[in-house]
Amino acid sequence: MKRRNFLGSVTLGSSLLAGTSEKRETGNAPSGKETNAKTALNADLVIAGGGLGGCAAALAALRNGLSVILTEETDWIGGQLSQQGVPPDEHPWIETHGATKAYRDFRTAVREYYQKNYPLTAEARTRKNLNPGDGSVSKLCHEPRVAVAVLTDMLNPYLSTGKLTLLLEHKIVAADVKGNIVQALTAQNRRNKTQITLTAPYFADATELGDLLPMTGTEFVTGAESKAETGEFHAPAKADPNNVQAFTVCYAIDYRPGENHVIEKPQEYDFWKNYVPKMTKPWSGRLLDLSYSNPKTLEPKQLGFHPEGIPTGNNLNLWLYRRIINKANFAPGTYAGDITIVNWPQNDYTLGNLIGASEKDFDKHFERGKQLSLSLLYWLQTEAPRPDGGKGWPGIRLRKDVMGTEDGLAKYPYVRESRRIKALFTIKEEHVGAEQRAAITGQSAGAKAAAFEDSVGIGYYHIDLHPSTGGDNYIDFGSLPFQIPLGALLPVRMENILPANKNIGTTHITNGCYRLHPVEWSIGEVVGLLVKFASSKNVLPRGVREDKGLLAGFQGFVRGEGIELEWKGGGIN
């Protein structure tokens, strides 16, 4: 499926246009030809990318009175949670602290959505922290379409008043830049190719790959820095800008015992069935197998799989890992079986880099990633070892409806690594890595992450880098609960474009703990607030950091919006 057509099955309808300043020029299109209509829209803030960072930035700006244009190249907002099909990866304290109030409000709204609209059991309905799928990866495993519904509900009041223009199925294709200032972006409708000029005093790049950075001339880096460059314990000896983490094409399945839902043999199945990843530190064997490299030790480690949720001894049952519907939480007969998301080591794709890829190469690697995921499905249906000694589970069914696509695969690849701005401050392993912090502080136990005077948020995840295009196996080690420094959100030169996704000033290594759902939300939310604050003070965003009084004022503003700036509670002080 071509990138320009990957929206195959539209479930929410076409783009929404509800703007404040609109100027339309329409030419006469020849019969049967695409129209050459051009539209100009203006707002206080233009955000490219409707993932969690983009939505959080929009909500923060909107609730503080700004007008916003938000573009999204698929037909689903929500990014990782929806179009990419990845349930939240979060830290263990998420229910009480360590995330913004708005992010916790979103999580609460997801639970309330199930309580209001789904036939839950009495026990599940009254459970304090409902987890619809009871997946082991998260305290809140839920369906992608629920994330879309909840985020849409949160944005709807601003769509209704015209403060928000939401352009679904629109991709930024060009930028007008003068010196250090972005003056306009051009968004193209992915269906009819019409273009819209978007102008604003401020722009945010919340795209999954940092698409706006090269387009606007914003300085950026990609891939792995060398140890000589960063001094990081886990950095490689040699830099490689093309060495990035695998992407994954996710999908949902359920299980119908006694039925046959085996898909047609994928075109590349024979290749993937026999494929052994080539890594500097060897993989455990064939990729399509119930074993993988232990992320921490890189030794072979067995996994389990049973689609009825039956325990698989001491091995993790992959069925339970990212389960988004546990039928036991719903009234008898609601679901014939559980639904789980397949985002496993076995469908991590390392044979190509999406960053900077041409449309042709993006299409090629996305399609091959789909072939890998379908090959894994076919292997599970026909060849995966069963506890009874047999092979294959033909009752496994691809749930196309869950992802809202014709092929049943996610609308967009799950992207773990993006272009990253060259920032006024770069977060390195020495700031957040447990081992390196211990070496710096001399504390073998109780070391803390670096404290940043310009902290504008907090987050936590262990440093988790998946196998890479450059042949690295897992790089997975401990980090410490960290802060988000304002300096990492400020480009070294550009004045009115800000990063609002995984494209902040981290390294290849520290990206591994700043890339997950709640941190992406926090980054986006702070960007929305920064635009409001800088505008109100008539200063550039960098001026907020440079002036101690303004910085203190902004930090007070951020706190007032429900954002924690330092870790407290839960044994973390």
Side-chain angles (χ1 to χ4, degrees), residues 10 18-19 50 94 97 99 111 155 224 281 350 373 392 406 487 493 505 545:
V10 180
I94 193 68
H97 59 286
R111 288 174 166 142
L155 293 173
K281 295 184 180 179
T350 58
S373 287
E406 292 177 355
R493 180 180 60 88
R545 182 173 184 260

Side-chain angles (χ1 to χ4, degrees), residues 90 94-95 103-111 139-140:
E90 301 168 326
I94 193 68
E95 299 293 359
Y103 182 76
R104 290 196 299 271
D105 288 346
F106 166 77
R107 298 175 84 254
T108 297
V110 168
R111 288 174 166 142
K139 297 177 185 295
L140 185 60

